[in-house]
Amino acid sequence: MPADRNSTKRRRDLIFTIENYGAIMVSKCSFCKAHSRVCKVHISSGKCSECWKQGSKCDVAVTRNEFSRLVSEKKKLEAQMLEARKEQDAAFEALRVARAKEERLSKQLAQNEKRAGEVIAVESAALMELEEDPVQPAWPAGPAELSTSVWSAMNDLPPEFWDNSVTLPS
């Protein structure tokens, strides 16, 4: 056994640990009552830190109030853990919903890009066709063919109508 790990050093380490992790007892042991000390006990130690320091027997007893306090603290901690689990579940559900939305939007975006490609292809083909075979003008290039009712309406025009014809600007 190393020299620095003798029983005195180990006892001091134990006392230090009990004082840091122990609980103050509502009902003090005889030694702590007699010497007006704080009676701190860790449930695993069986003795308070002061009795460990003195090397005396500790008669500390856990009272009903201390048991009740431990039970109520346990219930409170369990309720807090349950609430934390519910918050985690809600967060996981929100994440699942957000991921599903992202996936849906990603599919819609891909479909939109596909449609845009189709529109571009159709329009490109139409423009190429126009460049190869220009469309004929809507008005005939030759003499106009008028119906007989239109010609008959022109028969009643005075001869000077035809002499003063106006040329339309191009």
Side-chain angles (χ1 to χ4, degrees), residues 113-163:
E113 289 174 359
K114 181 181 175 186
R115 282 190 220 137
E118 291 170 356
V119 167
I120 291 170
V122 167
E123 188 63 16
S124 295
L127 286 174
M128 297 280 282
E129 187 178 310
L130 277 175
E131 290 173 0
E132 291 173 3
D133 185 30
V135 176
Q136 298 298 323
W139 294 97
E145 295 180 16
L146 300 174
S147 68
T148 55
S149 62
V150 173
W151 282 113
S152 63
M154 292 179 156
N155 286 338
D156 295 332
L157 294 173
E160 54 274 351
F161 174 80
W162 298 107
D163 293 336

Side-chain angles (χ1 to χ4, degrees), residues 93-112:
E93 179 62 18
L95 180 62
R96 186 195 65 76
V97 168
R99 283 194 176 161
K101 181 178 180 179
E102 178 189 19
E103 187 175 322
R104 178 182 50 81
L105 292 172
S106 177
K107 287 178 182 178
Q108 288 177 343
L109 182 60
Q111 185 66 26
N112 179 273

